[in-house]
C-alpha cells in the first residue's frame, strides 16, 4: 500500500542540473511515487539569485537561506547540486544533523572529504549517495559498491571527462590542433569559458579518487591522485600514435598492485590501442572499463555530463534514499576496511613512448640505447628518421617504473647528440 503523506525534498542549487531535477520530479511524479511507495514533494529550492525566472518552479518555494531550509526538520532528503567545497560541506552535515539523507553530485567535495561526510551520515543514521558525481548518467558507483561487492576489483580504467574526450577526438579525427579543438568545444558548449578544471585533469582526478576508494575499499583522497593535463598533446603525438595503431585519451587509471599490497590512482594522457574498447569512445561521451577477478572485464558507457544525464543519476539516488527512508534503513556507507597504502607515481609501472630530437649521425642510437640499459629500461621498438643533420628518434619501451623512466630522460638530456625531448607519453590498455 502506498503511503499518502509525501516525502519532502529540499533542492540546493537550481542551475542546469538542479532545474532538470525539479522538472523530472514534477513531470514524473506519479511514476516516482509508484517506484518509491510514497509521493515525493519539492519542499524548497535554495538559490543565490531569487529573482531569476525558473520555469515550472513555484516562486514560493525559492529561498536564499539554504541553512534554514536544511534545518527545517521535516525534510526527508536533500539534493545538493551547488558544487564546490563550502557552503556545500556545512549544508550537507547540517542536513544529516537535522534528519535528512543527502544526494550529491559534488565530485570535488566527495573526493576531498568523503570520509568525514560518510562518518557524519553514519552518526545520524542517514544516507549519502553520489552516483552523479562520477560519469553523469552512467551507473557506475552503485555497480562498484553493490553489484561487485562480492568480487575483487583490480583495475578501473576510464574516460571520465567529456570535454577532454571531445577535444582529443576532434584532434584525432580532423587533424585539428589543441587550441582549434578547444575553440570548437567551447562554441558547442562542451567546454567552460575557463576550461582549466577539465583540460588540466582536476575534474578527472576527483572522479578517480572516488572510484579508487570504492573499488579498493580504501580511502583515497584527491591529493593521492597523480594528475597531468592534456594541453601539451600535439598533432605530432597523434601521428605517432597512429603509426603504433593507437589513439590518445585522457584516462583516469586506478590499479591494485600485482601483490595486492597497495593501490595507485592517476590521471594523464595516454596512448591506447585502437583495438581497446575505450579507443572508440567518441565526442563528449564517457566510458569506464572495470577489471575484476570473478566478473572479468566490464565496460560502462554513456553521456558523462549535461543537465538531463546528470539529473537521471541524481533521481536514481533520490529514489534509493527515499525507499530506505520508508523502510527505516540505510544503504551502503563507506567501505574502507582494506586501508591499502596509495603508492606514489614513481612506483607505477607502464610502457612509454618517447620522442627525441637528435643529431643525424652514426652512433646516436647506440648512445641512446646505452642510457636506457643503464637505467634498467628495456626497449621494445625504435624508429629513426631524419635528414640534413637532424633526426627524430622514437623509442617505445617495455614496462618500466615512472621513476626509472624519469632517470632515463634526465640522462638523455645530458647527451650532446640529443637536441631535446619532444614528447613523453604512457602507453596503456594492453
Amino acid at each position: 500500500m502506498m503511503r499518502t503523506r509525501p516525502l519532502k525534498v529540499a533542492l540546493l542549487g537550481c542551475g542546469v542540473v538542479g532545474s532538470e531535477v525539479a522538472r523530472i520530479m514534477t513531470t514524473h511524479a506519479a511514476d516516482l511515487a509508484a517506484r518509491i511507495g510514497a509521493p515525493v514533494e519539492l519542499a524548497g529550492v535554495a538559490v543565490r539569485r531569487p529573482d531569476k525566472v525558473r520555469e515550472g518552479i513555484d516562486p514560493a518555494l525559492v529561498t536564499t537561506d539554504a541553512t534554514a531550509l536544511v534545518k527545517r526538520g521535516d525534510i526527508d532528503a536533500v539534493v545538493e547540486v551547488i558544487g564546490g567545497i563550502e557552503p556545500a560541506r556545512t549544508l550537507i552535515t547540517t542536513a544529516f544533523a537535522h534528519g535528512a539523507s543527502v544526494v550529491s553530485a559534488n565530485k570535488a567535495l566527495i573526493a576531498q572529504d568523503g570520509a568525514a561526510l560518510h562518518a557524519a551520515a553514519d552518526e545520524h543514521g542517514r544516507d549519502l549517495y553520489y552516483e552523479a558525481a562520477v560519469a553523469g548518467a552512467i551507473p557506475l558507483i552503485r555497480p562498484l559498491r553493490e553489484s561487485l561487492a562480492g568480487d575483487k576489483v583490480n583495475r578501473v580504467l576510464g574516460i571520465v571527462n567529456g570535454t577532454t574526450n571531445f577535444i582529443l577526438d576532434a584532434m584525432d579525427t580532423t587533424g585539428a590542433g589543441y587550441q582549434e579543438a578547444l575553440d570548437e568545444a567551447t562554441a558547442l558548449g562542451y567546454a567552460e569559458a575557463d576550461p582549466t578544471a577539465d583540460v588540466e585533469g582536476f575534474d578527472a582526478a576527483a572522479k578517480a579518487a572516488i572510484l579508487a576508494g570504492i573499488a579498493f575499499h580504501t580511502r583515497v583522497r584527491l591529493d593521492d591522485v597523480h594528475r597531468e593535463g592534456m594541453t601539451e598533446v600535439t598533432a605530432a603525438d597523434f601521428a605517432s600514435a597512429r603509426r603504433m595503431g593507437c589513439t590518445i585519451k585522457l584516462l583516469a587509471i586506478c590499479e591494485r598492485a600485482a601483490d595486492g599490497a597497495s593501490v595507485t590512482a592517476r590521471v594523464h594522457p595516454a596512448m591506447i590501442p585502437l583495438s581497446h574498447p575505450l579507443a572508440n569512445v567518441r565526442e563528449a561521451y564517457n566510458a569506464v572499463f572495470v577489471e575484476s577477478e570473478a566478473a572479468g572485464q566490464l565496460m560502462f558507457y554513456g553521456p558523462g555530463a549535461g543537465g538531463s544525464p546528470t539529473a537521471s543519476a541524481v533521481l536514481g539516488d533520490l529514489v534509493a534514499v527515499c525507499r530506505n527512508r520508508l523502510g527505516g534503513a540505510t544503504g551502503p556507507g563507506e567501505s574502507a576496511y582494506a586501508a591499502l597504502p596509495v603508492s606514489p607515481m614513481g612506483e607505477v609501472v607502464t610502457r612509454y613512448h618517447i620522442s627525441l630530437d637528435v643529431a643525424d649521425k652514426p652512433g646516436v642510437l647506440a648512445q641512446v640505447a646505452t642510457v636506457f640499459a643503464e637505467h634498467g629500461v628495456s626497449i621494445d621498438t625504435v624508429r629513426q628518421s631524419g635528414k640534413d643533420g637532424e633526426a627524430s628518434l622514437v623509442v617505445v619501451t617495455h614496462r618500466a617504473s615512472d621513476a626509472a623512466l624519469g632517470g632515463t630522460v634526465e640522462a638523455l638530456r645530458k647527451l650532446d647528440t640529443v637536441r631535446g625531448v619532444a614528447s613523453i607519453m604512457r602507453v596503456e590498455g594492453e
Side-chain angles (χ1 to χ4, degrees):
M1 179 180 295
M2 181 178 295
R3 193 180 84 168
T4 57
R5 183 171 66 82
L7 294 163
K8 295 188 177 183
V9 178
L11 179 60
L12 308 183
C14 198
V16 174
V17 176
S19 59
E20 189 66 9
V21 169
R23 184 192 69 79
I24 295 173
M25 285 184 64
T26 301
T27 58
H28 295 180
D31 285 336
L32 291 172
R35 294 166 190 171
I36 293 168
V40 286
E41 173 188 306
L42 189 59
V45 182
V47 299
R48 285 183 294 181
R49 293 181 292 169
D51 297 331
K52 180 180 178 181
V53 176
R54 295 174 173 85
E55 186 177 349
I57 295 178
D58 183 352
L61 297 178
V62 176
T63 178
T64 58
D65 194 342
T67 301
L69 179 59
V70 300
K71 281 184 173 181
R72 275 177 36 173
D74 64 337
I75 300 297
D76 296 288
V78 169
V79 173
E80 182 273 308
V81 287
I82 57 178
I85 305 303
E86 288 291 358
R89 175 171 49 197
T90 299
L91 290 170
I92 289 173
T93 55
T94 301
F96 291 144
H98 288 79
S101 291
V102 174
V103 173
S104 176
N106 195 332
K107 53 188 170 286
L109 179 58
I110 301 300
Q112 177 172 307
D113 290 319
L117 294 176
H118 272 294
D122 290 343
E123 178 185 355
H124 297 287
R126 294 294 176 253
D127 279 323
L128 173 62
Y129 277 45
Y130 41 88
E131 185 69 65
V134 179
I138 303 172
L140 184 57
I141 289 178
R142 191 172 286 114
L144 281 174
R145 190 166 60 178
E146 299 179 30
S147 302
L148 296 175
D151 205 344
K152 181 180 180 182
V153 176
N154 291 318
R155 195 177 198 218
V156 179
L157 173 76
I159 298 164
V160 295
N161 183 277
T163 300
T164 55
N165 199 56
F166 182 92
I167 293 170
L168 292 173
D169 184 49
M171 292 176 69
D172 188 21
T173 57
T174 70
Y178 167 76
Q179 189 60 50
E180 183 182 355
L182 172 59
D183 290 344
E184 181 184 6
T186 304
L188 292 174
Y190 291 123
E192 301 286 347
D194 180 0
T196 302
D198 295 321
V199 300
E200 293 296 349
F202 291 100
D203 176 85
K207 296 169 181 177
I210 295 170
L211 291 175
I214 296 170
F216 306 133
H217 303 278
T218 292
R219 287 178 178 168
V220 179
R221 289 171 51 88
L222 182 57
D223 292 345
D224 295 321
V225 181
H226 174 82
R227 177 195 55 79
E228 298 173 25
M230 40 77 74
T231 58
E232 301 300 318
V233 176
T234 66
D237 293 324
F238 274 102
S240 291
R242 283 191 289 273
R243 283 192 286 268
M244 289 179 59
C246 293
T247 188
I248 298 171
K249 299 292 186 182
L250 184 75
L251 298 178
I253 305 171
C254 311
E255 291 180 307
R256 188 189 300 270
D259 62 4
S262 64
V263 299
T264 59
R266 50 197 165 102
V267 168
H268 54 71
M271 294 182 180
I272 58 172
L274 293 175
S275 58
H276 194 282
L278 291 179
N280 295 312
V281 178
R282 301 297 184 188
E283 298 183 334
Y285 279 80
N286 284 193
V288 178
F289 204 71
V290 177
E291 300 174 11
S292 67
E293 288 195 354
Q297 297 179 333
L298 307 170
M299 183 167 165
F300 302 83
Y301 170 86
S308 293
T310 306
S312 171
V314 169
L315 267 296
D317 278 350
L318 182 62
V319 168
V321 301
C322 286
R323 285 172 175 169
N324 291 342
R325 185 75 170 211
L326 285 180
T330 56
E334 182 189 34
S335 175
Y337 74 90
L340 297 171
V342 182
S343 296
M345 187 62 189
E347 297 179 13
V348 170
V349 175
T350 189
R351 297 179 67 204
Y352 290 87
H353 175 283
I354 305 101
S355 180
L356 304 172
D357 296 325
V358 299
D360 186 15
K361 63 182 183 180
V364 173
L365 179 56
Q367 286 184 327
V368 169
T370 297
V371 170
F372 276 87
E374 288 174 347
H375 289 82
V377 179
S378 176
I379 294 176
D380 182 18
T381 62
V382 177
R383 185 179 69 253
Q384 185 172 6
S385 61
K387 61 181 180 179
D388 299 329
E390 299 297 328
S392 174
L393 186 65
V394 174
V395 178
V396 180
T397 74
H398 289 291
R399 291 174 64 83
S401 72
D402 191 78
L405 196 282
T408 303
V409 171
E410 184 178 350
L412 288 171
R413 295 183 192 275
K414 296 177 180 178
L415 293 178
D416 292 338
T417 51
V418 174
R419 309 295 193 223
V421 179
S423 69
I424 304 170
M425 192 166 295
R426 298 172 182 89
V427 182
E428 300 285 349
E430 296 183 314

